[in-house]
Amino acid sequence: MRTRTERRERLVPHTIDGETKLVSEPYDVQVPVPPRDWDHIVLTAALAVVAIGLGIVIVWSTSSIGDLLVRTDVLKPIAYAAATGFSLGWVVCMALEWLARYDPDRRQRPRAAGHVFLAADMAAVCVHGWVTDSLKVGIIGAVLSAGAKGLYTLVLDHQSAPLDARTQQWVTIKRGEVGSRLALGAVRRQLTRAESRAAAEEAALRTAPDADPDGPDPDEDGPDAEVFSINGSGLTVKDAVRTAWDSNIRDKDTVTRYVSRAMNRAVSPETVDRYLRALRVGA
Protein backbone atom coordinates (compact mmCIF):
# COMPACT_ATOMS: atom_id res chain seq x y z
CA MET A 1 0.00 0.00 0.00
CA ARG A 2 1.37 3.38 -0.98
CA THR A 3 1.70 6.06 1.72
CA ARG A 4 2.63 9.72 1.87
CA THR A 5 4.09 11.86 4.62
CA GLU A 6 1.95 14.63 6.08
CA ARG A 7 3.18 17.32 8.45
CA ARG A 8 0.77 17.93 11.33
CA GLU A 9 0.82 19.81 14.63
CA ARG A 10 -0.13 18.87 18.16
CA LEU A 11 -0.20 20.64 21.52
CA VAL A 12 2.40 19.53 24.06
CA PRO A 13 3.14 20.85 27.58
CA HIS A 14 6.24 23.01 27.95
CA THR A 15 7.46 24.20 31.37
CA ILE A 16 9.73 27.14 32.12
CA ASP A 17 10.42 28.34 35.70
CA GLY A 18 7.75 26.05 37.02
CA GLU A 19 5.04 27.48 34.71
CA THR A 20 3.59 25.07 32.14
CA LYS A 21 2.01 26.14 28.88
CA LEU A 22 0.67 24.20 25.89
CA VAL A 23 2.68 24.85 22.74
CA SER A 24 2.38 23.45 19.23
CA GLU A 25 4.82 20.84 18.02
CA PRO A 26 5.09 19.65 14.39
CA TYR A 27 5.28 15.95 13.67
CA ASP A 28 5.13 13.70 10.61
CA VAL A 29 2.64 10.94 10.00
CA GLN A 30 2.33 8.38 7.24
CA VAL A 31 -1.12 8.23 5.66
CA PRO A 32 -2.25 5.79 2.96
CA VAL A 33 -2.63 7.10 -0.58
CA PRO A 34 -5.92 6.07 -2.20
CA PRO A 35 -5.67 4.43 -5.61
CA ARG A 36 -6.32 6.50 -8.69
CA ASP A 37 -9.99 6.79 -9.62
CA TRP A 38 -9.64 5.93 -13.27
CA ASP A 39 -13.39 6.08 -13.82
CA HIS A 40 -13.42 9.70 -12.75
CA ILE A 41 -10.29 10.45 -14.80
CA VAL A 42 -11.80 8.91 -17.94
CA LEU A 43 -15.12 10.74 -17.42
CA THR A 44 -13.30 14.04 -16.93
CA ALA A 45 -11.30 13.45 -20.09
CA ALA A 46 -14.47 12.61 -22.03
CA LEU A 47 -16.14 15.80 -20.81
CA ALA A 48 -13.05 17.81 -21.79
CA VAL A 49 -13.11 16.31 -25.29
CA VAL A 50 -16.82 17.12 -25.62
CA ALA A 51 -16.26 20.69 -24.42
CA ILE A 52 -13.38 21.22 -26.88
CA GLY A 53 -15.44 19.73 -29.68
CA LEU A 54 -18.38 21.95 -28.87
CA GLY A 55 -16.14 25.01 -28.92
CA ILE A 56 -14.75 24.09 -32.35
CA VAL A 57 -18.19 23.33 -33.75
CA ILE A 58 -19.65 26.59 -32.44
CA VAL A 59 -16.83 28.60 -34.00
CA TRP A 60 -17.20 26.73 -37.31
CA SER A 61 -20.98 27.11 -37.44
CA THR A 62 -20.89 30.77 -36.44
CA SER A 63 -18.29 31.51 -39.09
CA SER A 64 -20.20 29.69 -41.82
CA ILE A 65 -23.67 30.99 -40.98
CA GLY A 66 -22.35 34.49 -40.35
CA ASP A 67 -20.73 34.54 -43.80
CA LEU A 68 -24.01 33.32 -45.27
CA LEU A 69 -26.00 36.13 -43.60
CA VAL A 70 -23.48 38.77 -44.63
CA ARG A 71 -24.30 37.95 -48.26
CA THR A 72 -27.78 39.41 -47.66
CA ASP A 73 -26.28 42.90 -47.10
CA VAL A 74 -26.62 42.60 -43.32
CA LEU A 75 -24.02 44.34 -41.20
CA LYS A 76 -21.24 41.96 -40.16
CA PRO A 77 -21.66 42.39 -36.37
CA ILE A 78 -25.40 41.77 -36.65
CA ALA A 79 -24.95 38.82 -38.99
CA TYR A 80 -22.42 37.01 -36.79
CA ALA A 81 -24.39 37.79 -33.63
CA ALA A 82 -27.46 36.20 -35.21
CA ALA A 83 -25.36 33.25 -36.38
CA THR A 84 -24.43 32.38 -32.79
CA GLY A 85 -28.11 31.76 -32.08
CA PHE A 86 -28.12 28.65 -34.26
CA SER A 87 -25.44 26.93 -32.18
CA LEU A 88 -26.27 28.38 -28.80
CA GLY A 89 -29.86 27.16 -29.10
CA TRP A 90 -28.99 23.48 -29.03
CA VAL A 91 -26.10 24.05 -26.59
CA VAL A 92 -28.53 25.58 -24.08
CA CYS A 93 -30.85 22.61 -24.59
CA MET A 94 -27.92 20.32 -23.81
CA ALA A 95 -27.35 22.19 -20.55
CA LEU A 96 -31.02 21.74 -19.64
CA GLU A 97 -30.70 18.04 -20.42
CA TRP A 98 -27.83 17.81 -17.95
CA LEU A 99 -29.82 19.54 -15.22
CA ALA A 100 -32.75 17.15 -15.77
CA ARG A 101 -30.61 14.01 -16.09
CA TYR A 102 -32.34 12.36 -13.09
CA ASP A 103 -35.83 13.01 -14.48
CA PRO A 104 -36.44 11.26 -17.82
CA ASP A 105 -39.78 12.99 -18.40
CA ARG A 106 -38.36 16.51 -17.97
CA ARG A 107 -35.31 15.62 -20.05
CA GLN A 108 -37.30 14.71 -23.15
CA ARG A 109 -38.46 18.24 -24.00
CA PRO A 110 -35.03 19.94 -24.04
CA ARG A 111 -33.64 16.96 -25.95
CA ALA A 112 -36.33 17.25 -28.63
CA ALA A 113 -35.86 21.03 -28.82
CA GLY A 114 -32.10 20.51 -29.09
CA HIS A 115 -32.60 18.25 -32.09
CA VAL A 116 -34.69 20.95 -33.79
CA PHE A 117 -32.04 23.63 -33.19
CA LEU A 118 -29.31 21.24 -34.32
CA ALA A 119 -31.18 20.47 -37.55
CA ALA A 120 -31.53 24.19 -38.27
CA ASP A 121 -27.82 24.71 -37.59
CA MET A 122 -26.80 21.82 -39.87
CA ALA A 123 -29.13 23.04 -42.62
CA ALA A 124 -27.68 26.55 -42.47
CA VAL A 125 -24.11 25.20 -42.65
CA CYS A 126 -25.03 23.06 -45.65
CA VAL A 127 -26.69 26.02 -47.39
CA HIS A 128 -23.53 28.06 -46.88
CA GLY A 129 -21.48 25.30 -48.48
CA TRP A 130 -23.89 25.13 -51.42
CA VAL A 131 -23.82 28.92 -51.91
CA THR A 132 -20.03 28.99 -51.89
CA ASP A 133 -19.80 26.01 -54.24
CA SER A 134 -18.35 23.91 -51.41
CA LEU A 135 -21.27 21.65 -50.58
CA LYS A 136 -18.94 18.87 -49.41
CA VAL A 137 -17.33 21.22 -46.91
CA GLY A 138 -20.78 22.29 -45.73
CA ILE A 139 -21.83 18.67 -45.22
CA ILE A 140 -18.64 17.98 -43.27
CA GLY A 141 -19.33 20.98 -41.01
CA ALA A 142 -22.89 19.77 -40.43
CA VAL A 143 -21.64 16.29 -39.56
CA LEU A 144 -19.22 17.82 -37.03
CA SER A 145 -22.14 19.50 -35.26
CA ALA A 146 -24.09 16.24 -35.20
CA GLY A 147 -21.02 14.39 -33.91
CA ALA A 148 -20.52 16.84 -31.04
CA LYS A 149 -24.18 16.53 -30.10
CA GLY A 150 -23.98 12.73 -30.27
CA LEU A 151 -20.88 12.57 -28.05
CA TYR A 152 -22.55 14.76 -25.47
CA THR A 153 -25.67 12.59 -25.49
CA LEU A 154 -23.57 9.46 -24.90
CA VAL A 155 -21.72 11.08 -21.98
CA LEU A 156 -24.99 12.33 -20.51
CA ASP A 157 -26.65 8.94 -20.74
CA HIS A 158 -23.63 7.37 -19.05
CA GLN A 159 -23.68 9.95 -16.26
CA SER A 160 -27.43 9.72 -15.63
CA ALA A 161 -27.98 7.27 -12.82
CA PRO A 162 -31.14 5.22 -13.45
CA LEU A 163 -33.71 5.36 -10.65
CA ASP A 164 -36.23 2.68 -9.84
CA ALA A 165 -39.93 3.51 -10.12
CA ARG A 166 -40.51 4.16 -6.41
CA THR A 167 -37.42 6.33 -6.01
CA GLN A 168 -38.38 8.28 -9.14
CA GLN A 169 -41.84 8.95 -7.67
CA TRP A 170 -40.32 10.03 -4.35
CA VAL A 171 -37.97 12.44 -6.17
CA THR A 172 -40.87 13.84 -8.19
CA ILE A 173 -43.00 14.38 -5.07
CA LYS A 174 -40.11 16.00 -3.19
CA ARG A 175 -39.29 18.27 -6.13
CA GLY A 176 -42.96 19.27 -6.29
CA GLU A 177 -43.02 20.14 -2.58
CA VAL A 178 -39.91 22.30 -2.82
CA GLY A 179 -41.19 23.90 -6.02
CA SER A 180 -44.49 24.68 -4.31
CA ARG A 181 -42.66 26.43 -1.48
CA LEU A 182 -40.68 28.53 -3.94
CA ALA A 183 -43.82 29.36 -5.92
CA LEU A 184 -45.77 30.29 -2.78
CA GLY A 185 -42.93 32.56 -1.68
CA ALA A 186 -43.05 34.40 -5.00
CA VAL A 187 -46.87 34.61 -4.86
CA ARG A 188 -46.77 35.97 -1.30
CA ARG A 189 -44.34 38.69 -2.38
CA GLN A 190 -46.64 39.62 -5.27
CA LEU A 191 -49.69 39.68 -2.98
CA THR A 192 -47.85 41.82 -0.44
CA ARG A 193 -46.93 44.35 -3.10
CA ALA A 194 -50.49 44.35 -4.46
CA GLU A 195 -51.99 44.80 -0.98
CA SER A 196 -49.61 47.69 -0.30
CA ARG A 197 -50.65 49.41 -3.52
CA ALA A 198 -54.33 48.80 -2.79
CA ALA A 199 -53.99 50.18 0.75
CA ALA A 200 -52.21 53.28 -0.58
CA GLU A 201 -54.94 53.88 -3.17
CA GLU A 202 -57.71 53.41 -0.57
CA ALA A 203 -55.98 55.84 1.80
CA ALA A 204 -55.65 58.38 -1.00
CA LEU A 205 -59.34 58.06 -1.88
CA ARG A 206 -60.42 58.41 1.77
CA THR A 207 -58.42 61.62 2.18
CA ALA A 208 -60.59 64.40 0.72
CA PRO A 209 -58.76 67.54 -0.39
CA ASP A 210 -59.13 70.60 1.86
CA ALA A 211 -61.49 73.12 0.32
CA ASP A 212 -59.52 76.01 1.88
CA PRO A 213 -55.94 74.83 2.56
CA ASP A 214 -54.89 78.33 3.62
CA GLY A 215 -57.76 78.80 6.08
CA PRO A 216 -57.67 78.10 9.83
CA ASP A 217 -58.24 74.66 11.30
CA PRO A 218 -61.82 74.06 12.44
CA ASP A 219 -62.42 74.44 16.14
CA GLU A 220 -63.39 71.00 17.38
CA ASP A 221 -64.66 72.39 20.69
CA GLY A 222 -66.99 74.87 19.01
CA PRO A 223 -66.85 78.64 19.34
CA ASP A 224 -65.69 80.03 22.66
CA ALA A 225 -68.65 81.53 24.55
CA GLU A 226 -66.45 84.22 26.02
CA VAL A 227 -65.04 85.39 22.68
CA PHE A 228 -67.10 87.74 20.55
CA SER A 229 -66.64 87.96 16.80
CA ILE A 230 -65.21 91.22 15.60
CA ASN A 231 -64.91 92.83 12.24
CA GLY A 232 -61.57 91.85 10.69
CA SER A 233 -61.48 94.84 8.31
CA GLY A 234 -58.25 96.76 9.01
CA LEU A 235 -57.47 94.47 11.97
CA THR A 236 -53.86 93.40 12.55
CA VAL A 237 -52.62 90.22 14.21
CA LYS A 238 -51.25 92.28 17.07
CA ASP A 239 -54.63 93.96 17.61
CA ALA A 240 -56.44 90.60 17.54
CA VAL A 241 -54.00 89.14 20.08
CA ARG A 242 -54.49 92.22 22.29
CA THR A 243 -58.26 91.81 22.08
CA ALA A 244 -58.00 88.17 23.15
CA TRP A 245 -55.66 89.17 25.99
CA ASP A 246 -58.12 91.78 27.19
CA SER A 247 -60.81 89.06 27.13
CA ASN A 248 -58.70 87.11 29.66
CA ILE A 249 -57.69 84.44 27.07
CA ARG A 250 -54.16 83.30 27.86
CA ASP A 251 -53.86 79.87 26.19
CA LYS A 252 -51.73 80.11 23.03
CA ASP A 253 -53.77 77.60 21.01
CA THR A 254 -57.06 79.26 21.90
CA VAL A 255 -55.67 82.69 21.05
CA THR A 256 -54.34 81.35 17.74
CA ARG A 257 -57.76 79.98 16.79
CA TYR A 258 -59.42 83.24 17.80
CA VAL A 259 -56.98 85.36 15.81
CA SER A 260 -57.31 83.12 12.76
CA ARG A 261 -61.09 83.49 12.79
CA ALA A 262 -60.79 87.23 13.33
CA MET A 263 -58.32 87.64 10.46
CA ASN A 264 -60.16 85.17 8.19
CA ARG A 265 -56.85 83.41 7.45
CA ALA A 266 -54.37 81.09 9.06
CA VAL A 267 -52.07 82.84 11.50
CA SER A 268 -48.68 81.45 12.54
CA PRO A 269 -48.68 80.18 16.15
CA GLU A 270 -45.14 81.53 16.55
CA THR A 271 -46.34 85.04 15.72
CA VAL A 272 -49.17 84.77 18.23
CA ASP A 273 -46.79 83.43 20.88
CA ARG A 274 -44.40 86.34 20.30
CA TYR A 275 -47.14 88.90 20.90
CA LEU A 276 -48.37 87.00 23.97
CA ARG A 277 -44.88 87.03 25.47
CA ALA A 278 -44.70 90.80 24.92
CA LEU A 279 -48.03 91.26 26.66
CA ARG A 280 -46.92 89.10 29.61
CA VAL A 281 -43.77 91.18 30.00
CA GLY A 282 -45.81 94.38 29.86
CA ALA A 283 -48.26 93.09 32.43
Side-chain angles (χ1 to χ4, degrees), residues 71-256:
R71 296 172 181 270
T72 60
D73 296 331
V74 179
L75 294 177
K76 270 191 175 184
I78 299 176
Y80 283 94
T84 59
F86 285 83
S87 298
L88 293 180
W90 56 272
V91 170
V92 169
C93 291
M94 290 164 56
L96 295 178
E97 282 187 69
W98 179 271
L99 294 176
R101 62 187 182 276
Y102 298 118
D103 192 337
D105 294 334
R106 296 179 62 196
R107 190 174 59 196
Q108 292 303 319
R109 283 177 291 182
R111 175 168 290 186
H115 290 156
V116 174
F117 282 111
L118 177 62
D121 181 271
M122 295 173 62
V125 172
C126 289
V127 170
H128 175 261
W130 176 70
V131 170
T132 58
D133 296 330
S134 302
L135 183 58
K136 293 181 179 179
V137 176
I139 294 175
I140 293 174
V143 171
L144 288 176
S145 297
K149 170 69 172 175
L151 283 177
Y152 175 83
T153 302
L154 291 175
V155 174
L156 176 64
D157 291 341
H158 175 80
Q159 185 67 12
S160 301
L163 302 177
D164 60 87
R166 288 191 173 186
T167 303
Q168 186 65 59
Q169 294 180 35
W170 185 92
V171 171
T172 302
I173 295 173
K174 194 65 178 179
R175 183 181 288 112
E177 292 176 353
V178 176
S180 299
R181 291 169 56 190
L182 293 174
L184 287 176
V187 171
R188 289 193 185 99
R189 288 193 297 270
Q190 295 175 1
L191 292 177
T192 301
R193 289 193 296 267
E195 289 176 356
S196 300
R197 290 196 300 268
E201 292 179 0
E202 292 173 357
L205 293 175
R206 285 196 303 266
T207 304
D210 192 354
D212 186 11
D214 296 329
D217 295 334
D219 188 359
E220 297 179 357
D221 298 332
D224 196 328
E226 298 180 0
V227 178
F228 299 96
S229 61
I230 61 178
N231 185 8
S233 177
L235 186 68
T236 64
V237 175
K238 183 177 181 180
D239 294 336
V241 174
R242 181 70 189 191
T243 302
W245 181 272
D246 293 339
S247 300
N248 293 324
I249 301 176
R250 301 291 188 268
D251 181 65
K252 183 183 72 173
D253 294 335
T254 304
V255 174
T256 302

Side-chain angles (χ1 to χ4, degrees), residues 1-75:
M1 181 178 62
R2 296 174 56 194
T3 61
R4 67 170 182 268
T5 303
E6 286 188 358
R7 175 60 60 92
R8 298 180 182 179
E9 291 186 352
R10 59 189 173 191
L11 295 176
V12 296
H14 185 65
T15 305
I16 297 178
D17 295 335
E19 185 176 359
T20 302
K21 298 291 184 183
L22 292 177
V23 298
S24 61
E25 177 186 56
Y27 69 100
D28 295 330
V29 62
Q30 298 294 323
V31 296
V33 177
R36 290 183 181 274
D37 188 355
W38 287 105
D39 291 342
H40 179 71
I41 294 173
V42 171
L43 180 60
T44 302
L47 289 174
V49 171
V50 171
I52 295 173
L54 285 175
I56 296 173
V57 166
I58 291 174
V59 173
W60 180 283
S61 298
T62 301
S63 177
S64 299
I65 301 174
D67 183 66
L68 177 64
L69 296 178
V70 167
R71 296 172 181 270
T72 60
D73 296 331
V74 179
L75 294 177

